[in-house]
Amino acid sequence: MIPSGTIEKMLSKVRDLPPLPSVVLQVNRALKESSVSIDEIGGIIEKDASLTVKLLKIANSSYYGLSYNVDTVTRAVSVLGFDTVRNIAVTLSMGKVFSRIPEDLLDVGRLWNHSLGCAIAAKILVGKKEKILREEAFICGIVHDIGQVVIAQNLPEAQRKIRKRMASESSVSLSAAEIDELGFTHAEVGAYLADKWHFPTKYAEAIRFHHNPCDAATGDSSACDKRLVAAVFAGNMVAKHSGIGFGIGEASEQIPDDVWGCFGRTSDDLDTIVEETHQDFNEVVAGWGMGG
Ligand SMILES: [Fe+2]
Ligand SMILES: [Fe+2]
């Protein structure tokens, strides 16, 4: 147990916080301004040649189903929207962040696939009508477990103890093991980092509550979007049910009826959503080159 281990204290000592490329930070900062233009966002991204090439390839992939060719970043932003373009840029960047972890501390391939599965499932769950919420849910899904990466990188001894306990006590949850060992959870670390990376506060809150959405429901945080919290929580569950990244055997927790209800769905929809998640996951892995 780290005695006075606040997240801020721990992370202030850490030099090795996962960096987001400056281009994504600039996009995040620019999107905080209500008056940002398509040309401005396009201009920021175009400064990064390799990101530009990958982004155009993905914009033209079958996942987005566009009927014509998108050949400039500005065009991609105007056709796909700010949030989708940010999602692609962040997804590409996060793949690199995940690949920096020593394998004995964290199975980074599985965690990455799980995160991508969570993002895809959360987006499907929200549905096609809510274009903004579904893109927000996707990005929060990609980032939701980044706190696990930070802990593994920076507190390897604590991480080993947490893993050992998880392996020997099947009834203990990851969050409970983290609290006992560290005094905080990977969800709290992820929320802290999302804030540092200049994501909107509601994203940080959705990450904070991805294992305990009821706490968000009872809190008075006006920055918290409860449907976004519900989407990320359920996306995490669906990814586990789908056996993407982590096994189906780990999916014993159920999605409560009120969470399904947030999206006009019931638990009867689970099988269909799992099937769609598998389809989209395979498409993204093949078309984006994103598998873990
Ligand atoms: Fe988590
Ligand atoms: Fe997760």
Side-chain angles (χ1 to χ4, degrees):
M1 171 97 185
I2 293 174
S4 57
T6 65
I7 297 163
E8 285 79 2
K9 262 191 182 167
M10 175 193 93
L11 294 181
S12 66
K13 288 187 208 135
V14 165
R15 274 170 297 147
D16 199 20
L17 268 185
L20 264 194
S22 66
V23 61
V24 182
L25 287 176
Q26 284 177 51
V27 169
N28 279 353
R29 281 206 195 98
L31 288 178
K32 277 188 173 170
E33 309 289 327
S34 53
S35 60
V36 69
S37 71
I38 287 172
D39 285 343
E40 273 174 75
I41 297 294
I44 294 169
I45 291 173
E46 276 167 358
K47 283 186 206 148
D48 184 330
S50 97
L51 181 62
T52 299
V53 170
K54 286 182 196 150
L55 191 142
L56 291 177
K57 188 177 162 222
I58 291 168
N60 288 301
S61 72
S62 58
Y63 186 66
Y64 289 107
L66 302 176
S67 53
Y68 45 87
N69 197 41
V70 172
D71 54 3
T72 66
V73 176
T74 309
R75 185 93 183 109
V77 177
S78 73
V79 172
L80 297 173
F82 290 132
D83 288 325
T84 302
V85 168
R86 165 160 61 184
N87 282 0
I88 296 170
V90 171
T91 305
L92 292 169
S93 315
M94 292 302 289
K96 283 186 207 143
V97 172
F98 273 63
S99 68
R100 297 167 73 236
I101 312 305
E103 264 183 50
D104 64 317
L105 292 173
L106 190 64
D107 188 334
V108 68
R110 282 180 84 195
L111 186 66
W112 172 248
N113 283 344
H114 164 73
S115 302
L116 199 52
C118 170
I120 289 167
K123 187 170 172 175
I124 292 168
L125 194 76
V126 169
K128 288 189 173 138
K129 282 186 200 149
E130 296 186 79
K131 287 190 168 35
I132 294 175
L133 182 61
R134 68 196 236 111
E135 294 301 335
E136 292 175 339
F138 184 94
I139 198 73
C140 291
I142 288 288
V143 184
H144 81 285
D145 274 335
I146 189 66
Q148 290 191 37
V149 176
V150 176
I151 291 170
Q153 263 185 337
N154 295 292
L155 299 164
E157 284 317 309
Q159 171 75 359
R160 277 198 186 90
K161 285 185 192 158
I162 291 166
R163 286 188 68 142
K164 207 170 158 191
R165 184 160 173 218
M166 296 291 296
S168 63
E169 283 178 57
S170 58
S171 61
V172 73
S173 71
L174 175 59
S175 301
E178 287 168 340
I179 291 278
D180 289 347
E181 189 57 39
L182 301 166
F184 51 77
T185 68
H186 68 278
E188 290 170 304
V189 175
Y192 176 86
L193 197 58
D195 192 48
K196 284 268 173 219
W197 283 346
H198 299 285
F199 283 110
T201 307
K202 64 180 167 181
Y203 292 16
E205 295 307 294
I207 292 164
R208 184 188 312 283
F209 294 113
H210 77 259
H211 286 292
N212 51 337
C214 297
D215 291 353
T218 53
D220 63 354
S221 169
S222 55
C224 200
D225 178 337
K226 288 173 181 132
R227 293 183 72 234
L228 183 58
V229 174
V232 181
F233 164 79
N236 185 44
M237 295 283 205
V238 173
K240 289 184 189 178
H241 276 277
S242 306
I244 295 175
F246 298 99
I248 289 167
E250 296 166 61
S252 54
E253 299 160 283
Q254 298 299 315
I255 300 170
D257 288 344
D258 56 337
V259 171
W260 286 114
C262 283
F263 308 104
R265 298 181 185 272
T266 70
S267 57
D268 292 345
D269 295 323
L270 179 62
D271 289 347
T272 317
I273 292 174
V274 163
E275 201 176 309
E276 277 182 53
T277 300
H278 273 289
Q279 279 168 8
D280 284 2
F281 179 82
N282 291 336
E283 209 165 305
V284 167
V285 166
W288 297 27
M290 293 305 312

